[in-house]
Every structure is written in structure tokens, then in C-alpha cells.
Amino acid sequence: MNDLAPLLSPEGRALLDEVRDTDPAHELAVATRLRREHPAELVSAALGQARLRQRAAAKFGAEDARRMFFTPNGVEQSTRASVAAYRAERMKGLGVTSVADLCCGIGGDAIALARAGIRVLAVDRDPLTAAAARANADALGLTALIEVREADVTEVDTDGYDAVFVDPARRGGRGRIFDPEAYSPPLSWAVAAALKAPRAALKIAPGVPHEAVPAEAEAEWISDGGDVKEAVLWFGTGAPGAVRATLLPGPRTLSGRGLPDPAVRPVGRYLYEPDGAVIRAHLVAEVAEEIGGGLVDETIAYITADAPHPTPYATAYEITDQLPFNVKKLKALLREREVGVLTVKKRGSAVEPEELRRKVKPQGPNSATVFLTRVAGAPTMLVGRPVR
């Protein structure tokens, strides 16, 4: 598909409604039937769009996804709606009323900003992508707040806008791009654009090294439902150098206080697995202080404590057994406990969870979690269960 216009026609829209819930397994039969009454290219485009909409429902929700228009890259690279809504509300809280959304993609962030009452200039240089963004603004009734422009973002004048939002492309022909200077546009260009604006937010990969964060920026790592989704560099918030981890839904935000690394201590009754955003933001020490715990190993982001301390920033487990790494001993223990449902987590171990699960062959009505890790430098297995 390289043109959305046929799908935006009355015939195309009617066809989209007809194929909306098509099961991929029945797609060939549906296509054969529809091609008797519609052009083959239009049928193929409608079925392709239906597949994209089905995939996009996880990010945008079924109600929006069934009305929106997508490209394959748009589904893959667009921001999850919950994350975009959080960021838009934070912009609104900073007093932002207008945003230049550079590299807007299919318009996910522009939609969230507009729904927060913010006027948006959405820019993308790819004609099909820009067309999708324009169609989405129309489909969701947001054309009064979203202007879509097909242009090179490096040539767009952002003067007159309260803020700039940049989401550089982080995928190329060979897959994901890890070097920020290989983004399109490069991170250095995005930072320069941010520094010219009253306020700005740059969406980047969560694996960005902390040393790559500009001194003028506040860095925030965001997770949704326990999955780390992105990092955002904020400019103009009045907190240069600050570090935050934000967990959705919520939002719940943990701010860095510059604490030293927690001390290593013996494994207690409880083990805490910090949220990925907390780990990426290097805020494990803040969580350890909150729950009165220490690390099981100086290189491992597992916190241990003797008493339960509920926290939104880490998942707690009650530890029942601590064993040196030994598959036979673990298998015997699981057989004794009649464990048939085994969750394997690892940090600091080269053993693959599926490989271990095959070797121990769990059987029985009970469940358990085993952590493959290091304790004071020694390969160790910690067995336990989540604290309810």
C-alpha cells in the first residue's frame, strides 16, 4: 500500500467495515469473494489495513484502532496511547498550549496532545505516513487542533510554538538502531532543536546510556504494565539533570535523590524485583531505602529485606529456599513441593529459562518462582512466590 486515497473513498470505507473482523485464517476466501465486486488492489489494501488495525488495538485500544489508518512501520514505532496520554498531560501541566510534533508518524502523539486540548503541528516527511496522520486526525474528530504537514522536520520553523516534541526514527532497513547519532534525525539535531524552544520533549530508546543525556535535560524512563516503553528527555522543566522513573497505569513517579549504591546483605525473607523503568533510571537505591533493604549482590538489581514493605516500584516475592546453582537439587525440591507451574527469572545468569524448565520437568498442582542470580558473587537459585 502506497496510497491511502482509495481506502478513504466511500467504497474503500465500506470495504474496511466489511473486512474489519476478518480472521487471518479465512483471509484468502474473503479476498476471493470480495474481488468479484471490488478491484483486487482495493481488496488487498483493505485486508492489509484490517490486519494492521487488529495489531494496533493493543496500543491504541480497539475503539480507536478500528477507525484509524496505519502503516506497518506506524504500528511498530508509534507510542502506546497510555504513554502518549501521560506525556500530553505532563505537557499540559507545564502550561504548554501548542506543540510542534516533529517526526509525527501516524499521529499517535499528536492525537494525545490534541485530546489534552493542545494545538499541534504534526510533521513527517514520508507522504504515506503524513497521509495516515491526516486521516487519523479526521477519523477521530481532531482536525481543528491538528495540522499535518508533509515536510523535512529539519526545515520546519517552530517559532511561535510553546514546545517541541521530537520522536526520531530508531529503525532502519536492518532493524533497530542503537546509536543515537544514527537516529533520523540524529539525537544531536533533536537536542539542538529542543534547546531553541521554551520547552521540549525528546522520545528516545530506553537503553540510552546515562552519559549520553545532555546536562540541560531531565531524563525520565517510562514503563507501562511493567514493560519499559521509552525514555524521554525533557527541556525547560526547571529540573536539568533530574532523573525520574514513571510507572503506568498511575502514574507513579519516583525521583532520583543521588543516593549511593545500597549495601550488599544476606538474603532475607523477601526479594524485591524493581520495575524496569526504575532499573533503567538507576534508581534502585531509592527503592532499597524505601523498603529498608539491601542488594543480594553488588552487580545485581535484586533487593532483599526481612519484612514486607509494599511499594509500587518493585514486585515482592517471599523466598522459601536458597540453593547453590544445581539443577538436580532444584528438580528434587520442585518434585517434593509438587510444583507444576514454574516461573523462571534470571539476572546475572547465563542459563536460559526454557532450558532449565525442560531439565527440571515441573509436575504437580502448585506453583513457584525461581530466580537464577548471584548472591555475593556466587551462582544461586532463590525459590519463592509472589506476595499477594
Side-chain angles (χ1 to χ4, degrees):
M1 181 182 65
N2 54 20
D3 184 6
L4 282 180
L7 292 177
L8 298 174
S9 68
E11 182 182 10
R13 290 181 184 276
L15 199 54
L16 281 171
D17 288 340
E18 187 170 351
V19 302
R20 183 176 66 193
D21 299 318
T22 299
D23 186 330
H26 302 149
E27 207 171 85
L28 180 58
V30 171
T32 301
R33 173 176 59 81
L34 292 174
R35 283 170 181 161
R36 299 182 190 125
E37 303 175 5
H38 304 279
E41 294 82 359
L42 183 60
V43 172
S44 295
L47 286 169
Q49 192 61 226
R51 285 196 302 272
L52 293 175
R53 286 176 166 183
Q54 290 168 7
R55 285 172 53 197
K59 278 190 174 182
F60 290 89
E63 185 176 348
D64 280 353
R66 70 178 51 170
R67 292 187 287 166
M68 293 173 66
F69 293 84
F70 299 96
T71 65
N73 283 341
V75 173
E76 184 72 27
Q77 298 183 29
S78 57
T79 304
R80 182 177 290 264
S82 55
V83 179
Y86 160 74
R87 195 189 305 107
E89 286 300 321
R90 188 169 182 207
M91 283 230 182
K92 183 179 178 180
L94 291 169
V96 171
T97 62
S98 61
V99 172
D101 178 3
L102 308 180
C103 310
C104 69
I106 54 93
D109 285 283
I111 290 165
L113 290 163
R115 283 176 167 170
I118 298 172
R119 180 171 59 89
V120 185
L121 170 64
V123 184
D124 202 284
R125 69 179 180 182
D126 179 68
L128 179 61
T129 303
R134 193 174 292 111
N136 289 335
D138 180 60
L140 300 179
L142 297 170
T143 54
L145 285 169
I146 300 176
E147 174 195 349
V148 178
R149 188 180 301 173
E150 180 190 326
D152 185 330
V153 297
T154 64
E155 299 174 357
V156 173
D157 182 3
T158 61
D159 288 347
Y161 290 88
D162 295 339
V164 166
F165 173 69
V166 189
D167 180 7
R170 296 184 300 281
R171 286 183 179 272
R174 297 184 178 180
R176 189 169 297 172
I177 297 170
F178 296 97
D179 178 7
E181 284 307 296
Y183 292 172
S184 179
L187 181 59
S188 57
W189 179 90
V191 170
L195 292 173
K196 295 175 184 175
R199 287 180 172 78
L202 311 183
K203 175 183 170 182
I204 58 176
V208 64
H210 280 232
E211 54 269 24
V213 175
E216 302 92 341
E218 171 197 323
E220 180 177 32
W221 279 260
I222 302 173
S223 68
D224 188 13
D227 294 329
V228 184
K229 295 301 179 184
E230 64 183 57
V232 185
L233 302 183
W234 293 90
F235 297 79
T237 64
V243 176
R244 295 157 54 109
T246 295
L247 282 55
L248 302 176
R252 296 182 173 91
T253 296
L254 179 67
S255 297
R257 300 194 300 280
L259 300 179
D261 291 340
V264 176
R265 53 148 292 174
V267 176
R269 184 176 177 183
Y270 295 93
L271 187 75
Y272 292 82
E273 181 182 27
D275 184 272
V278 170
I279 295 173
R280 292 283 194 180
H282 297 179
L283 299 181
V284 173
E286 279 72 6
V287 176
E289 182 182 72
E290 178 184 325
I291 64 178
L295 298 180
V296 300
D297 184 275
E298 64 180 0
T299 63
I300 304 295
Y302 284 140
I303 304 168
T304 186
D306 296 319
H309 296 277
T311 173
Y313 303 113
T315 303
Y317 296 83
E318 184 177 10
I319 299 302
T320 57
D321 300 273
Q322 177 178 343
L323 308 168
F325 182 81
N326 185 296
V327 175
K328 289 185 178 179
K329 288 184 178 180
L330 179 62
K331 185 175 182 179
L333 177 67
L334 298 177
R335 186 186 304 117
E336 177 187 332
R337 303 278 170 81
E338 297 185 300
V339 171
V341 179
L342 182 66
T343 300
V344 181
K345 292 177 171 286
K346 70 167 191 169
R347 190 161 289 156
S349 172
V351 178
E352 291 300 325
E354 285 304 319
E355 177 187 351
L356 180 68
R357 196 177 284 107
R358 283 196 301 269
K359 289 181 177 179
V360 299
K361 300 176 182 177
Q363 294 182 5
N366 300 320
S367 61
T369 300
V370 59
F371 294 87
L372 307 178
T373 187
R374 292 193 301 272
V375 172
T380 302
M381 300 181 296
L382 302 175
V383 183
R385 52 181 173 263
V387 175
R388 303 299 181 187

PDB file of all heavy atoms in Angstrom, residues 7 18 33-34 37 63 100 103 108 112 124 129 139 141 146 185 199 240 255 259 314 323 371 387:
ATOM      1  N   LEU A   7      -8.740   3.886   0.080  1.00  0.00           N
ATOM      2  CA  LEU A   7      -9.395   3.443   1.313  1.00  0.00           C
ATOM      3  C   LEU A   7     -10.239   4.540   1.942  1.00  0.00           C
ATOM      4  O   LEU A   7     -11.136   4.256   2.735  1.00  0.00           O
ATOM      5  CB  LEU A   7      -8.347   2.952   2.323  1.00  0.00           C
ATOM      6  CG  LEU A   7      -7.612   1.661   1.966  1.00  0.00           C
ATOM      7  CD1 LEU A   7      -6.554   1.339   3.027  1.00  0.00           C
ATOM      8  CD2 LEU A   7      -8.581   0.497   1.828  1.00  0.00           C
ATOM      9  N   GLU A  18     -16.509  -3.923   6.188  1.00  0.00           N
ATOM     10  CA  GLU A  18     -16.891  -5.314   5.914  1.00  0.00           C
ATOM     11  C   GLU A  18     -15.810  -6.298   6.334  1.00  0.00           C
ATOM     12  O   GLU A  18     -16.112  -7.404   6.802  1.00  0.00           O
ATOM     13  CB  GLU A  18     -17.198  -5.475   4.422  1.00  0.00           C
ATOM     14  CG  GLU A  18     -17.760  -6.841   4.072  1.00  0.00           C
ATOM     15  CD  GLU A  18     -18.283  -6.918   2.643  1.00  0.00           C
ATOM     16  OE1 GLU A  18     -18.358  -5.865   1.980  1.00  0.00           O
ATOM     17  OE2 GLU A  18     -18.610  -8.028   2.186  1.00  0.00           O
ATOM     18  N   ARG A  33     -13.886 -13.825  -2.560  1.00  0.00           N
ATOM     19  CA  ARG A  33     -15.295 -13.407  -2.688  1.00  0.00           C
ATOM     20  C   ARG A  33     -15.404 -11.922  -3.012  1.00  0.00           C
ATOM     21  O   ARG A  33     -16.162 -11.526  -3.904  1.00  0.00           O
ATOM     22  CB  ARG A  33     -16.039 -13.727  -1.383  1.00  0.00           C
ATOM     23  CG  ARG A  33     -17.466 -13.194  -1.334  1.00  0.00           C
ATOM     24  CD  ARG A  33     -18.154 -13.632  -0.071  1.00  0.00           C
ATOM     25  NE  ARG A  33     -17.476 -13.175   1.130  1.00  0.00           N
ATOM     26  CZ  ARG A  33     -17.602 -11.939   1.635  1.00  0.00           C
ATOM     27  NH1 ARG A  33     -18.348 -11.037   1.024  1.00  0.00           N
ATOM     28  NH2 ARG A  33     -16.972 -11.620   2.750  1.00  0.00           N
ATOM     29  N   LEU A  34     -14.634 -11.092  -2.314  1.00  0.00           N
ATOM     30  CA  LEU A  34     -14.762  -9.648  -2.499  1.00  0.00           C
ATOM     31  C   LEU A  34     -14.236  -9.170  -3.847  1.00  0.00           C
ATOM     32  O   LEU A  34     -14.698  -8.149  -4.384  1.00  0.00           O
ATOM     33  CB  LEU A  34     -14.043  -8.920  -1.362  1.00  0.00           C
ATOM     34  CG  LEU A  34     -14.667  -9.067   0.026  1.00  0.00           C
ATOM     35  CD1 LEU A  34     -13.789  -8.423   1.081  1.00  0.00           C
ATOM     36  CD2 LEU A  34     -16.073  -8.446   0.050  1.00  0.00           C
ATOM     37  N   GLU A  37     -16.520  -8.226  -6.756  1.00  0.00           N
ATOM     38  CA  GLU A  37     -17.292  -6.983  -6.767  1.00  0.00           C
ATOM     39  C   GLU A  37     -16.425  -5.732  -6.635  1.00  0.00           C
ATOM     40  O   GLU A  37     -16.909  -4.623  -6.887  1.00  0.00           O
ATOM     41  CB  GLU A  37     -18.317  -6.992  -5.630  1.00  0.00           C
ATOM     42  CG  GLU A  37     -19.280  -8.171  -5.679  1.00  0.00           C
ATOM     43  CD  GLU A  37     -20.194  -8.198  -4.469  1.00  0.00           C
ATOM     44  OE1 GLU A  37     -20.139  -7.245  -3.662  1.00  0.00           O
ATOM     45  OE2 GLU A  37     -20.952  -9.169  -4.332  1.00  0.00           O
ATOM     46  N   GLU A  63     -11.415   0.602  20.100  1.00  0.00           N
ATOM     47  CA  GLU A  63     -12.330   1.621  19.579  1.00  0.00           C
ATOM     48  C   GLU A  63     -11.620   2.597  18.650  1.00  0.00           C
ATOM     49  O   GLU A  63     -12.124   2.930  17.571  1.00  0.00           O
ATOM     50  CB  GLU A  63     -12.988   2.388  20.731  1.00  0.00           C
ATOM     51  CG  GLU A  63     -14.031   3.386  20.265  1.00  0.00           C
ATOM     52  CD  GLU A  63     -14.733   4.073  21.416  1.00  0.00           C
ATOM     53  OE1 GLU A  63     -14.583   3.627  22.570  1.00  0.00           O
ATOM     54  OE2 GLU A  63     -15.430   5.076  21.152  1.00  0.00           O
ATOM     55  N   ALA A 100       4.952  21.674  18.328  1.00  0.00           N
ATOM     56  CA  ALA A 100       5.411  21.225  17.020  1.00  0.00           C
ATOM     57  C   ALA A 100       5.882  19.778  17.191  1.00  0.00           C
ATOM     58  O   ALA A 100       6.894  19.525  17.846  1.00  0.00           O
ATOM     59  CB  ALA A 100       6.546  22.101  16.505  1.00  0.00           C
ATOM     60  N   CYS A 103       8.540  14.521  13.292  1.00  0.00           N
ATOM     61  CA  CYS A 103       8.558  13.064  13.091  1.00  0.00           C
ATOM     62  C   CYS A 103       7.295  12.471  13.714  1.00  0.00           C
ATOM     63  O   CYS A 103       7.358  11.580  14.554  1.00  0.00           O
ATOM     64  CB  CYS A 103       9.800  12.418  13.675  1.00  0.00           C
ATOM     65  SG  CYS A 103      11.352  13.174  13.196  1.00  0.00           S
ATOM     66  N   GLY A 108       0.087   9.265  16.589  1.00  0.00           N
ATOM     67  CA  GLY A 108      -0.302   8.827  17.928  1.00  0.00           C
ATOM     68  C   GLY A 108      -0.104   9.888  18.993  1.00  0.00           C
ATOM     69  O   GLY A 108      -0.989  10.133  19.823  1.00  0.00           O
ATOM     70  N   ALA A 112      -2.911  12.356  21.193  1.00  0.00           N
ATOM     71  CA  ALA A 112      -2.935  12.517  22.655  1.00  0.00           C
ATOM     72  C   ALA A 112      -2.818  13.987  23.038  1.00  0.00           C
ATOM     73  O   ALA A 112      -3.514  14.460  23.954  1.00  0.00           O
ATOM     74  CB  ALA A 112      -1.805  11.703  23.284  1.00  0.00           C
ATOM     75  N   ASP A 124       5.829  15.136   9.150  1.00  0.00           N
ATOM     76  CA  ASP A 124       6.560  13.929   8.756  1.00  0.00           C
ATOM     77  C   ASP A 124       6.895  14.059   7.278  1.00  0.00           C
ATOM     78  O   ASP A 124       6.101  14.593   6.497  1.00  0.00           O
ATOM     79  CB  ASP A 124       5.727  12.672   9.009  1.00  0.00           C
ATOM     80  CG  ASP A 124       6.613  11.435   9.138  1.00  0.00           C
ATOM     81  OD1 ASP A 124       7.098  10.935   8.096  1.00  0.00           O
ATOM     82  OD2 ASP A 124       6.833  10.965  10.278  1.00  0.00           O
ATOM     83  N   THR A 129       2.934   8.254   5.387  1.00  0.00           N
ATOM     84  CA  THR A 129       2.813   8.424   6.838  1.00  0.00           C
ATOM     85  C   THR A 129       2.061   9.698   7.172  1.00  0.00           C
ATOM     86  O   THR A 129       1.190   9.710   8.047  1.00  0.00           O
ATOM     87  CB  THR A 129       4.210   8.437   7.479  1.00  0.00           C
ATOM     88  OG1 THR A 129       4.895   7.227   7.145  1.00  0.00           O
ATOM     89  CG2 THR A 129       4.113   8.530   8.995  1.00  0.00           C
ATOM     90  N   ALA A 139     -10.458  11.098  11.329  1.00  0.00           N
ATOM     91  CA  ALA A 139     -11.276   9.980  11.826  1.00  0.00           C
ATOM     92  C   ALA A 139     -11.653  10.153  13.289  1.00  0.00           C
ATOM     93  O   ALA A 139     -12.739   9.721  13.714  1.00  0.00           O
ATOM     94  CB  ALA A 139     -10.527   8.666  11.627  1.00  0.00           C
ATOM     95  N   GLY A 141     -11.929  13.125  14.818  1.00  0.00           N
ATOM     96  CA  GLY A 141     -12.558  14.422  15.052  1.00  0.00           C
ATOM     97  C   GLY A 141     -11.638  15.459  15.661  1.00  0.00           C
ATOM     98  O   GLY A 141     -12.073  16.296  16.457  1.00  0.00           O
ATOM     99  N   ILE A 146      -5.231  19.676  15.011  1.00  0.00           N
ATOM    100  CA  ILE A 146      -4.045  19.048  14.417  1.00  0.00           C
ATOM    101  C   ILE A 146      -3.898  19.492  12.966  1.00  0.00           C
ATOM    102  O   ILE A 146      -4.765  19.242  12.127  1.00  0.00           O
ATOM    103  CB  ILE A 146      -4.122  17.514  14.470  1.00  0.00           C
ATOM    104  CG1 ILE A 146      -4.229  17.012  15.918  1.00  0.00           C
ATOM    105  CG2 ILE A 146      -2.891  16.894  13.793  1.00  0.00           C
ATOM    106  CD1 ILE A 146      -4.410  15.506  16.039  1.00  0.00           C
ATOM    107  N   PRO A 185      15.888  12.233  12.571  1.00  0.00           N
ATOM    108  CA  PRO A 185      17.181  12.903  12.543  1.00  0.00           C
ATOM    109  C   PRO A 185      18.046  12.502  13.741  1.00  0.00           C
ATOM    110  O   PRO A 185      17.527  11.950  14.712  1.00  0.00           O
ATOM    111  CB  PRO A 185      16.793  14.391  12.620  1.00  0.00           C
ATOM    112  CG  PRO A 185      15.526  14.393  13.409  1.00  0.00           C
ATOM    113  CD  PRO A 185      14.800  13.153  12.987  1.00  0.00           C
ATOM    114  N   ARG A 199      10.059  24.895  25.747  1.00  0.00           N
ATOM    115  CA  ARG A 199      10.007  23.577  26.376  1.00  0.00           C
ATOM    116  C   ARG A 199      10.109  22.523  25.287  1.00  0.00           C
ATOM    117  O   ARG A 199       9.768  22.780  24.133  1.00  0.00           O
ATOM    118  CB  ARG A 199       8.711  23.386  27.177  1.00  0.00           C
ATOM    119  CG  ARG A 199       8.679  24.189  28.463  1.00  0.00           C
ATOM    120  CD  ARG A 199       7.387  23.975  29.222  1.00  0.00           C
ATOM    121  NE  ARG A 199       7.442  24.603  30.523  1.00  0.00           N
ATOM    122  CZ  ARG A 199       7.287  25.909  30.744  1.00  0.00           C
ATOM    123  NH1 ARG A 199       7.064  26.715  29.721  1.00  0.00           N
ATOM    124  NH2 ARG A 199       7.348  26.401  31.966  1.00  0.00           N
ATOM    125  N   PRO A 240      17.031  20.593  35.274  1.00  0.00           N
ATOM    126  CA  PRO A 240      18.109  19.971  34.498  1.00  0.00           C
ATOM    127  C   PRO A 240      18.899  18.989  35.358  1.00  0.00           C
ATOM    128  O   PRO A 240      19.187  19.263  36.520  1.00  0.00           O
ATOM    129  CB  PRO A 240      18.961  21.159  34.068  1.00  0.00           C
ATOM    130  CG  PRO A 240      18.664  22.238  35.067  1.00  0.00           C
ATOM    131  CD  PRO A 240      17.230  22.052  35.439  1.00  0.00           C
ATOM    132  N   SER A 255      11.509   9.895  41.901  1.00  0.00           N
ATOM    133  CA  SER A 255      12.557  10.851  41.524  1.00  0.00           C
ATOM    134  C   SER A 255      13.873  10.487  42.179  1.00  0.00           C
ATOM    135  O   SER A 255      13.907  10.043  43.344  1.00  0.00           O
ATOM    136  CB  SER A 255      12.152  12.270  41.935  1.00  0.00           C
ATOM    137  OG  SER A 255      10.984  12.664  41.241  1.00  0.00           O
ATOM    138  N   LEU A 259      21.340   8.964  45.661  1.00  0.00           N
ATOM    139  CA  LEU A 259      21.783   8.087  46.750  1.00  0.00           C
ATOM    140  C   LEU A 259      22.933   7.191  46.303  1.00  0.00           C
ATOM    141  O   LEU A 259      23.019   6.805  45.135  1.00  0.00           O
ATOM    142  CB  LEU A 259      20.607   7.211  47.221  1.00  0.00           C
ATOM    143  CG  LEU A 259      19.376   7.937  47.768  1.00  0.00           C
ATOM    144  CD1 LEU A 259      18.313   6.918  48.172  1.00  0.00           C
ATOM    145  CD2 LEU A 259      19.754   8.810  48.951  1.00  0.00           C
ATOM    146  N   ALA A 314       8.414  -1.946  42.852  1.00  0.00           N
ATOM    147  CA  ALA A 314       9.059  -3.258  42.801  1.00  0.00           C
ATOM    148  C   ALA A 314       8.030  -4.333  43.122  1.00  0.00           C
ATOM    149  O   ALA A 314       7.074  -4.093  43.862  1.00  0.00           O
ATOM    150  CB  ALA A 314      10.226  -3.338  43.785  1.00  0.00           C
ATOM    151  N   LEU A 323      19.479 -21.949  47.288  1.00  0.00           N
ATOM    152  CA  LEU A 323      20.325 -23.084  46.944  1.00  0.00           C
ATOM    153  C   LEU A 323      21.474 -22.638  46.058  1.00  0.00           C
ATOM    154  O   LEU A 323      21.295 -21.750  45.218  1.00  0.00           O
ATOM    155  CB  LEU A 323      19.519 -24.147  46.168  1.00  0.00           C
ATOM    156  CG  LEU A 323      18.205 -24.662  46.755  1.00  0.00           C
ATOM    157  CD1 LEU A 323      17.460 -25.462  45.707  1.00  0.00           C
ATOM    158  CD2 LEU A 323      18.492 -25.517  47.970  1.00  0.00           C
ATOM    159  N   PHE A 371      14.559 -17.753  40.947  1.00  0.00           N
ATOM    160  CA  PHE A 371      15.437 -16.692  40.462  1.00  0.00           C
ATOM    161  C   PHE A 371      16.830 -17.273  40.272  1.00  0.00           C
ATOM    162  O   PHE A 371      17.411 -17.832  41.218  1.00  0.00           O
ATOM    163  CB  PHE A 371      15.506 -15.542  41.481  1.00  0.00           C
ATOM    164  CG  PHE A 371      14.201 -14.822  41.654  1.00  0.00           C
ATOM    165  CD1 PHE A 371      13.257 -15.284  42.563  1.00  0.00           C
ATOM    166  CD2 PHE A 371      13.902 -13.692  40.910  1.00  0.00           C
ATOM    167  CE1 PHE A 371      12.050 -14.625  42.731  1.00  0.00           C
ATOM    168  CE2 PHE A 371      12.699 -13.026  41.063  1.00  0.00           C
ATOM    169  CZ  PHE A 371      11.768 -13.493  41.980  1.00  0.00           C
ATOM    170  N   VAL A 387       4.260 -12.114  46.573  1.00  0.00           N
ATOM    171  CA  VAL A 387       3.483 -11.666  47.733  1.00  0.00           C
ATOM    172  C   VAL A 387       2.192 -11.072  47.229  1.00  0.00           C
ATOM    173  O   VAL A 387       2.186 -10.159  46.401  1.00  0.00           O
ATOM    174  CB  VAL A 387       4.282 -10.617  48.536  1.00  0.00           C
ATOM    175  CG1 VAL A 387       3.419 -10.053  49.670  1.00  0.00           C
ATOM    176  CG2 VAL A 387       5.561 -11.228  49.092  1.00  0.00           C
TER     177      VAL A 387
END
